[in-house]
């Protein structure tokens, strides 16, 4: 018996809302990662990227948690998981990680909003906007980068936790697939981390589409897409072929592989080489592909 809600693995039946929750948790983790790392290592060159990721993260994780609570059917018992961390339960540990991440994302989003609002007001009232804007770093703003730094760890934990949650069901041959045959290394956390980073980055770029030159981010997403293609190929070669047949085959080959990976990769290569701004179609397809991947993994694991 897996220690989640006290039910056996054979009784678990997760549907569409769980797939959406896994997807939203990944987007939140990837968006926060994008915003926080930009904030920590850039000098305000990509402020719109920071704002986009900082606002997307709390919205998506909170909405995802609401879906999870409703789908589990025990909304009034959920608080117990927040107060009591059972280190034998993947879900209990994961809820703790996501709870801390949710709090950090809300605080970070507020601090980014506060900084943006203060700078906008100062620019409208000060003759020397560049100097005046620096006053916004006082007070609560001193916490912004420390919160971003700590949040990086919890955003990675949030992105990988959803993969660990499924991998913990040892009776499920698809979810419990090992990475390159190494039983001690589950495959899904690695795949979900790369996918979450890619979809979170893509969602952030959609929100910052009118920003300055986004080429560095486009190149990063190209690398992530290539890594995901490699991981998907490994999964295809490692798992039983039956998992890629039947009713979910179209979703995998069309939604995950074609729409989510191959087409965005070629469009990204074309856009970067020709200096074309095709952020919206590329990032939109990456996000759709990430959602299709969660649906495929969740449902395929329960069909066979």
């Amino acid at each position: 018996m897996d220690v989640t809600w006290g039910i056996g693995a054979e009784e678990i039946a997760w549907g569409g809302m769980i797939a959406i929750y896994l997807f939203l948790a990944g987007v939140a983790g990837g968006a926060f990662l994008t915003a926080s790392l930009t904030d920590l290592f850039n000098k305000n060159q990509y402020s719109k990227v920071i704002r986009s990721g900082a606002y997307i993260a709390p919205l998506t994780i909170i909405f995802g948690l609401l879906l999870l609570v409703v789908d589990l059917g025990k909304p009034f018992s959920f608080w117990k998981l927040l107060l009591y961390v059972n280190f034998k339960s993947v879900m209990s540990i994961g809820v703790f990680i996501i709870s801390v991440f949710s709090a950090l994302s809300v605080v970070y989003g507020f601090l980014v909003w506060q900084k943006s609002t203060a700078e906008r007001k100062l620019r409208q009232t000060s003759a020397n906007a560049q100097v005046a804007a620096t006053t916004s770093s006082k007070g609560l703003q001193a916490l912004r980068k420390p919160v971003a730094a700590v949040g990086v760890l919890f955003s990675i934990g949030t992105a990988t936790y959803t993969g660990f949650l499924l991998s913990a069901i040892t009776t499920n041959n698809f979810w419990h697939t090992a990475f390159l045959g190494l039983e001690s290394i589950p495959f899904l956390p690695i795949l979900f981390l790369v996918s979450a980073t890619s979809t979170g980055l893509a969602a952030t770029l959609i929100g910052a589409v009118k920003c300055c030159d986004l080429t560095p981010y486009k190149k990063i997403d190209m690398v992530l897409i290539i890594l995901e293609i490699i991981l998907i190929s490994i999964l295809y070669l490692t798992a039983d072929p039956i998992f890629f047949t039947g009713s979910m085959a179209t979703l995998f080959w069309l939604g995950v592989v074609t729409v989510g990976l191959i087409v965005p990769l070629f469009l990204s290569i074309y856009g970067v080489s020709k200096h074309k701004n095709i952020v919206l179609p590329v990032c939109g397809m990456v996000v759709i592909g990430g959602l299709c991947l969660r649906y495929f993994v969740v449902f395929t694991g329960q069909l066979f």
Side-chain angles (χ1 to χ4, degrees), residues 3-4 86-95 161 164-166 168:
V3 186
T4 52
N86 183 350
F87 289 100
K88 294 182 180 179
S89 168
V90 175
M91 178 172 283
S92 180
I93 296 172
V95 168
Y161 148 67
F164 280 113
L165 178 64
L166 298 182

Side-chain angles (χ1 to χ4, degrees), residues 34-49:
T34 302
S36 58
L37 291 179
T38 301
D39 197 5
L40 290 169
F41 296 106
N42 258 286
K43 296 182 178 179
N44 299 321
Q45 183 180 358
Y46 296 101
S47 58
K48 194 165 185 177
V49 172

Side-chain angles (χ1 to χ4, degrees), residues 243-289:
F243 292 121
F244 303 93
T245 61
S247 59
M248 301 303 293
T250 301
L251 180 64
F252 176 74
W253 291 110
L254 180 60
V256 178
V257 176
T258 304
V259 174
L261 297 173
I262 302 299
V263 176
L265 178 60
F266 280 106
L267 285 178
S268 295
I269 294 172
Y270 172 79
V272 170
S273 62
K274 299 296 183 180
H275 304 287
K276 300 289 185 179
N277 185 11
I278 49 177
V279 172
L280 287 179
V282 170
C283 293
M285 284 187 286
V286 169
V287 171
I288 292 171

